[in-house]
Amino acid sequence: MLPTIEWKGKHIRMIDQRKLPGKVEWVICKNDKDVVRAVRCMVIRGAPAIGVAAAMGLALGSETIKADTYDAFERRFREMAGWMVKARPTAVNLRWAVERMILLVEQMGGRDPEEIRIALREESEKMLSEDIEINLKIGEHGNKLVPRKAVILTHCNAGSLATGGYGTALGVIRAAHEAGKQIEVIADETRPWLQGLRLTAFELMEDGIPVTVIADSAAGSLMRQGKVDLVITGADRIAANGDVANKIGTYQVAVLARENKIPFYVAAPLSTIDLRIKSGDRIQVEERDPSEISHFQKIRVGPRGVKAYNPAFDVTPGKYVTGIITEKGILKAPYPKKMKELFRK
């Protein structure tokens, strides 16, 4: 598995996911603004991955703060954190990571700025290693839900490229494959960025896991024919009632799964659950440039001047979710009660 993001000396490097699978190219970030830009323009994507990127970006940015006192450092760091948290609005892991870094600075009140810079970098490294360990646990729990022989449909990319490593939805698939189960994967192409075709298929082929890519609109037909045993996706934010925000197209997959009596699971770390939001109706859904719909690789494919609507995510009501696979176990309805119990463990 290629590392999604890592420290390289005094800089951060991240694999440019816009270029995969045709080219493995690294983007070097020399300051926090470079990281914000990389998150916004999809160099790096996936809720856990951009959370790690935010933490690393703030640690990197702290090196540029010219301050001799704690108060001056803290004031500038908060400004930097404010820009970072706005990079992409839907994925809650971004805000979670920023708040964790702010808390660290607060806990080091009165300390020398250089000491805080060192602590921030160490914290970002810790968050990366924690994310990988969390994904391994998600895979361990999720594997229990996968039959000895199964065809699994997934949407978008929730693999190592969307996380610090191993993956959430693909982490479950990897764990089942490593356990010797006969796994086949059907990957929705996932318009308009084609994360399923470009990234999920790439990851699974690298691991030797059988994968077939389909047009997004073919999923229902395959379900109706009995060719799908279960669905596993990732998530960018989960509300307290179990509503799930994920890549656009996830909602229709969940509805089709319910209609065809197929289990629909969501794999995500606890950091993706936002107990401050009561329902998915309150989740801010990012809208991206309409040209991502009307153009393909910067080539116009639609008629000149056509209007396009490009929401990056949709919200799947909790009633369609069979279970949420986390690092602490599998959540099932009623979600508000079960989530609170899980967070208390």
Side-chain angles (χ1 to χ4, degrees):
M1 287 179 285
L2 290 168
T4 308
I5 182 171
E6 61 186 2
W7 283 98
K8 207 70 175 174
K10 292 184 177 181
H11 300 144
I12 296 167
R13 75 170 191 169
M14 54 184 75
I15 193 164
D16 192 341
Q17 298 190 33
R18 302 168 302 179
K19 305 291 179 64
L20 291 173
K23 185 189 297 185
V24 175
E25 191 172 296
W26 298 93
V27 171
I28 305 300
C29 296
K30 298 181 179 180
N31 54 52
D32 59 298
K33 293 183 178 65
D34 287 346
V35 175
V36 169
R37 194 176 302 113
V39 170
R40 282 180 175 163
C41 69
M42 303 280 281
V43 169
I44 189 167
R45 28 68 54 201
I50 63 177
V52 172
M56 286 186 172
L58 289 176
L60 182 64
S62 72
E63 297 289 342
T64 68
I65 297 176
K66 293 180 173 58
D68 296 324
T69 67
Y70 170 81
D71 288 343
F73 179 90
E74 193 238 7
R75 183 167 56 253
R76 180 69 187 92
F77 185 82
R78 284 186 178 276
E79 291 174 3
M80 192 177 290
W83 286 110
M84 185 66 71
V85 81
K86 294 176 182 176
R88 292 194 72 185
T90 302
V92 71
N93 302 66
L94 179 61
R95 188 187 69 196
W96 168 84
V98 170
E99 290 178 350
R100 178 165 164 175
M101 297 297 268
I102 290 173
L103 180 61
L104 175 63
V105 172
E106 289 176 349
Q107 291 172 338
M108 297 187 73
R111 307 279 275 274
D112 181 73
E114 184 55 31
E115 190 178 350
I116 300 174
R117 292 186 187 99
I118 293 170
L120 286 167
R121 172 152 177 170
E122 290 175 348
E123 187 72 3
S124 74
E125 292 170 339
K126 181 181 177 183
M127 289 167 73
L128 175 59
S129 61
E130 282 178 358
D131 186 66
I132 295 170
E133 184 60 33
I134 284 168
N135 292 339
L136 289 167
K137 289 179 180 177
I138 288 172
E140 180 184 342
H141 291 301
N143 178 41
K144 298 170 186 175
L145 301 170
V146 180
R148 292 297 307 173
K149 184 176 182 180
V151 176
I152 304 171
L153 185 141
T154 190
H155 188 76
C156 195
N157 172 262
S160 63
L161 291 166
T163 64
Y166 202 70
T168 52
L170 292 199
V172 174
I173 289 167
R174 284 190 167 101
H177 177 71
E178 291 163 4
K181 295 180 178 179
Q182 296 181 48
I183 301 302
E184 294 181 35
V185 178
I186 295 174
D188 286 344
E189 61 178 348
T190 319
R191 284 278 300 154
W193 275 83
L194 302 178
Q195 293 100 322
L197 172 61
R198 295 188 303 103
L199 306 180
T200 294
F202 171 73
E203 285 196 40
L204 294 175
M205 290 177 72
E206 287 285 301
D207 285 358
I209 300 174
V211 57
T212 301
V213 176
I214 61 171
D216 294 354
S217 53
S221 178
L222 290 181
M223 290 182 188
R224 184 173 177 273
Q225 294 173 60
K227 293 182 178 180
V228 176
D229 296 306
L230 67 159
V231 178
I232 308 175
T233 74
D236 286 81
R237 188 182 298 232
I238 302 173
N241 68 341
D243 292 353
V244 175
N246 194 49
K247 183 55 58 186
I248 189 72
T250 302
Y251 170 59
Q252 60 200 36
V253 172
V255 173
L256 288 165
R258 166 66 72 87
E259 175 65 22
N260 289 278
K261 298 179 173 55
I262 296 169
F264 178 91
Y265 295 107
V266 172
L270 289 178
S271 58
T272 302
I273 297 175
D274 189 353
L275 294 180
R276 288 178 283 191
I277 290 185
K278 293 182 180 179
S279 77
D281 293 335
R282 299 188 180 185
I283 295 175
Q284 181 182 354
V285 173
E286 175 187 358
E287 290 185 29
R288 296 185 60 82
D289 192 326
S291 68
E292 294 176 2
I293 300 291
S294 59
H295 291 63
F296 181 71
Q297 294 185 340
K298 298 183 180 180
I299 299 172
R300 181 168 53 83
V301 292
R304 189 179 299 278
V306 68
K307 292 182 179 179
Y309 172 52
N310 186 19
F313 305 94
D314 58 25
V315 176
T316 298
K319 67 180 182 180
Y320 293 108
V321 180
T322 308
I324 300 170
I325 308 164
T326 77
E327 67 269 32
K328 287 191 176 182
I330 300 163
L331 282 168
K332 294 195 174 183
Y335 289 112
K337 178 182 177 182
K338 297 293 179 62
M339 284 180 185
K340 289 178 182 178
E341 290 175 356
L342 202 63
F343 273 94
R344 283 197 292 265
K345 284 185 179 180

